[in-house]
Amino acid sequence: MKPLRNRSYKRSNEKTYERKIETDTNELLLSADLTTNLKQIKKDIGNSPDIVIREFKLGSKPCIQVAAVYIDSLSDKYMVSDFIMRSLMYGTADSAYKTMSSNKSVFDFIKDNSLTIGEIKVIKNWNELLLSLLSGNTLILIDGWPEAISNSTKGGESRAVTEPTTQIVIRGPKESFNESLNTNISLIRRRIKSPNLWLEMMKIGDVTQTDVAILYIKGIAKDNLVEEVKQRLHTIKTDGILESGNIEAFIEDKTFTVFPTIYNTERPDAVAGNLLEGRIAILVNGTPFVLIVPTIFAQFFQVPSDYYDRYDIATFLRVLRYIGFIISLVFPALYIALITFHQGMIPAPLLITLAASREGVPFPAVVEALLMEFSFEVLREAGIRMPRAVGQAVSIVGALILGQAAVQAGIVSPAMVIVVAITGISSFSTPSYDLAIAARLIRFSLMLLAAFLGLLGVMLGLIAIIAHLSSLRSFGAPYLTPFAPFILADQKDALLRFPLWSLLTRPRFIGTNNRNRTQSPFVSNKNSLKDDGNEKS
């Protein structure tokens, strides 16, 4: 992936204020004059009304002018009041400042002894000061010293941890990520209490300066995979990152494909499970969806409840999802091909019934299918966009009324309504919304191929899809593994789900540093039960 061309921005009012310029980096430094710094902050933020500047004095004879600066909508006002203002104005005696001979000693005393906040940082650079202020931190500036103290007081309104809305399970945790990056990281750390869970932060977006975090387990995740993820993230040069989908568009291996090559989830337990397999999680501030790399095709049919239920139940449900995906992909195309070209393959009683139902229909089967599929997609999209209180009812009632009216009017046949209904229901069995959309797009292409070439066209389309899937990669991992290339050891958690005690190794396609995942206690427990039984007897 080629890095984008860097953009440079130049201030037009750079000479209106006296600033010292660092010779080696050409970065603007703070002024020693408190009034100049406060004026410049107001100027750069555009005199925003939510900027709070609290000026006060410390000590006496001489008094030391100090200012606390924060943004009211981004900072926690209670932290500012209790841990900064109270500590500076009431926690330090005047006599402590009388013994100090310079402003630097006052600055060091405040930094080392006065503040009771958990995290502080000394800032010398002007751009770093503005970034810290806009991140919700509180700045302490002292007259006569060209440095500032940044106090971590990030706050503001955030959504509480609620149940997932897109990946619902019957059995399992009911927590989901929210838009707070710190909250999302805490939800993962609560599940993986290991010092090997490493976190790296970076800021992406020249304007938005969005916080992006990389999470992986040191010793399990492959080192070259971690470096590849970092390199792709560092090459992103854009004005803003507003959601993890923006990151996905920049770092995915192949852009021109309808199949998703990066997995996203809003469930902390799903992220924890993927981290334990050697994958890497990418978290973006401001979105509840976390990216997981590398990604394979089989991963989109796995849900967290597969690992909480019994293996036989999980295997049945997973196979059912694969069947539902295949039905949603090819069922209308097969119907069109059989009705149009291959009537001899249909049993005679069924063919008579279908012919009777199609009597009087003015359109060929492909036009019927396209008309009904397009109407179904419009109803589904309308149900999503409409208010939740009426969206589901309108979509269901609209589908029933539309289908019945179309049949009674003789525009479509009842069999076509049944085919479209079964296809739509099957598409909802796919756990991943991105993969379900891919199937919906490909379905129209297969329908057109079936209308022109019959079953031959359907088979050619399926061969092209499989060839395309075989060519895809996700951070070096073949998209169709463990099916192509075939890996026998990884078949235990692909189409089927073997018992957890039999999943002894991590997936081989990821290339983890440590492939051993667990040791099966089944044989040892069985033997110990036999021994206990012999002793009792």
Side-chain angles (χ1 to χ4, degrees):
M1 179 173 163
K2 297 181 180 179
L4 300 180
R5 188 173 299 175
N6 293 328
R7 303 174 185 175
S8 60
Y9 300 93
K10 185 176 181 182
R11 297 180 182 272
S12 59
N13 58 349
E14 207 168 7
K15 297 182 180 180
T16 57
Y17 293 95
E18 295 181 0
R19 302 183 185 177
K20 296 181 180 179
I21 299 179
E22 193 176 359
T23 57
D24 55 347
T25 60
N26 292 326
E27 292 182 345
L28 299 173
L29 302 179
L30 298 180
S31 172
D33 183 59
L34 178 61
T35 304
T36 301
N37 289 331
L38 295 180
K39 288 182 179 179
Q40 188 60 37
I41 291 175
K42 294 179 181 179
K43 180 66 176 180
D44 287 345
I45 306 298
N47 292 318
S48 181
D50 60 347
I51 298 179
V52 178
I53 300 178
R54 177 69 164 88
E55 298 186 54
F56 54 93
K57 297 179 180 180
L58 295 178
S60 59
K61 298 180 182 180
C63 295
I64 303 170
Q65 194 73 18
V66 181
V69 184
Y70 64 93
I71 297 181
D72 184 53
S73 56
L74 298 178
S75 302
D76 190 339
K77 293 180 287 186
Y78 297 102
M79 292 182 65
V80 177
S81 176
D82 296 339
F83 297 103
I84 297 178
M85 304 303 299
R86 189 186 301 273
S87 301
L88 290 176
M89 302 181 70
Y90 297 103
T92 305
D94 292 342
S95 58
Y97 295 101
K98 293 180 180 179
T99 60
M100 301 177 188
S101 57
S102 64
N103 292 328
K104 183 181 185 306
S105 59
V106 175
F107 180 86
D108 293 336
F109 182 81
I110 293 176
K111 176 174 65 72
D112 298 332
N113 301 282
S114 296
L115 298 173
T116 58
I117 201 74
E119 178 186 354
I120 65 172
K121 181 181 179 181
V122 177
I123 293 179
K124 301 178 181 180
N125 182 276
W126 190 264
N127 294 329
E128 188 177 357
L129 179 141
L130 293 176
L131 179 59
S132 178
L133 179 63
L134 293 172
S135 298
N137 298 325
T138 300
L139 305 175
I140 301 296
L141 297 97
I142 299 176
D143 190 22
W145 188 251
E147 290 180 347
I149 303 174
S150 174
N151 303 268
S152 180
T153 57
K154 298 177 182 179
E157 298 296 330
S158 61
R159 186 168 60 93
V161 177
T162 58
E163 292 189 17
T165 58
T166 59
Q167 297 173 326
I168 302 174
V169 296
I170 303 300
R171 180 177 180 178
K174 303 300 181 181
E175 292 180 332
S176 68
F177 293 120
N178 62 10
E179 288 74 19
S180 174
L181 181 61
N182 293 331
T183 302
N184 296 340
I185 295 174
S186 67
L187 291 175
I188 299 175
R189 286 198 178 274
R190 289 176 186 174
R191 287 166 171 80
I192 305 179
K193 303 180 181 65
S194 171
N196 293 326
L197 180 61
W198 285 21
L199 169 68
E200 298 188 23
M201 300 284 295
M202 62 182 67
K203 293 185 182 296
I204 302 179
D206 297 336
V207 178
T208 60
Q209 293 291 315
T210 305
D211 292 321
V212 178
I214 303 175
L215 271 175
Y216 61 94
I217 300 179
K218 184 69 174 179
I220 296 181
K222 200 70 173 178
D223 296 335
N224 57 358
L225 177 61
V226 176
E227 293 301 323
E228 176 69 18
V229 173
K230 293 181 186 176
Q231 181 181 1
R232 295 194 188 187
L233 291 176
H234 283 303
T235 56
I236 299 177
K237 301 297 180 183
T238 183
D239 288 340
I241 296 295
L242 302 179
E243 213 270 340
S244 58
N246 302 142
I247 296 288
E248 181 179 353
F250 280 101
I251 66 175
E252 60 186 359
D253 288 65
K254 195 169 185 179
T255 302
F256 300 103
T257 177
V258 297
F259 292 97
T261 56
I262 296 179
Y263 184 75
N264 65 81
T265 178
E266 60 173 344
R267 296 187 60 89
D269 55 337
V271 175
N274 283 280
L275 291 176
L276 292 173
E277 289 187 347
R279 293 184 175 91
I280 299 176
I282 303 174
L283 293 80
V284 181
N285 190 32
T287 175
F289 290 94
V290 176
L291 304 180
I292 302 294
V293 294
T295 302
I296 61 173
F297 181 73
Q299 190 174 349
F300 293 97
F301 297 93
Q302 301 171 357
V303 297
S305 61
D306 288 349
Y307 305 95
Y308 306 144
D309 295 327
R310 287 179 49 86
Y311 72 95
D312 46 2
I313 299 175
T315 298
F316 170 74
L317 295 177
R318 185 176 294 181
V319 173
L320 199 63
R321 296 186 204 110
Y322 277 98
I323 296 175
F325 175 77
I326 295 174
I327 291 175
S328 66
L329 189 66
V330 301
F331 194 35
L334 291 177
Y335 177 80
I336 293 172
L338 293 176
I339 290 295
T340 306
F341 294 99
H342 310 283
Q343 296 90 348
M345 298 180 64
I346 304 175
L350 179 60
L351 180 61
I352 294 174
T353 302
L354 292 178
S357 65
R358 286 187 50 80
E359 185 178 1
V361 176
F363 303 113
V366 61
V367 176
E368 282 186 88
L370 291 175
L371 181 63
M372 291 302 299
E373 284 288 346
F374 182 76
S375 302
F376 190 85
E377 294 297 331
V378 171
L379 284 172
R380 175 156 41 186
E381 190 68 15
I384 295 175
R385 306 304 170 193
M386 291 182 66
R388 184 174 300 179
V390 298
Q392 186 175 3
V394 169
S395 60
I396 294 175
V397 175
L400 293 175
I401 295 176
L402 181 63
Q404 183 178 3
V407 171
Q408 291 180 353
I411 299 177
V412 296
S413 62
M416 181 59 70
V417 176
I418 295 175
V419 169
V420 173
I422 294 176
T423 304
I425 294 174
S426 300
S427 65
F428 289 117
S429 65
T430 304
S432 173
Y433 181 73
D434 296 333
L435 187 62
I437 291 180
R440 288 156 59 182
L441 294 176
I442 298 175
R443 187 191 309 154
F444 288 96
S445 301
L446 292 178
M447 290 164 58
L448 293 177
L449 288 174
F452 288 101
L453 299 176
L455 289 179
L456 176 62
V458 177
M459 295 304 299
L460 290 177
L462 292 178
I463 292 174
I465 293 172
I466 295 175
H468 175 69
L469 290 175
S470 301
S471 66
L472 294 179
R473 295 291 186 274
S474 177
F475 285 81
Y479 196 60
L480 285 183
T481 52
F483 307 116
F486 184 80
I487 302 176
L488 181 61
D490 292 346
Q491 298 299 321
K492 297 179 180 180
D493 193 22
L495 179 62
L496 309 177
R497 207 279 278 172
F498 279 41
L500 293 179
W501 55 263
S502 66
L503 304 179
L504 303 179
T505 58
R506 295 181 176 88
R508 183 175 298 177
F509 66 89
I510 300 179
T512 59
N513 291 328
N514 182 10
R515 292 201 65 233
N516 296 325
R517 174 157 49 184
T518 184
Q519 294 182 357
S520 175
F522 184 78
V523 177
S524 59
N525 289 343
K526 190 175 181 180
N527 294 333
S528 64
L529 290 175
K530 290 182 178 179
D531 296 339
D532 293 341
N534 293 332
E535 291 178 359
K536 290 180 181 180
S537 62

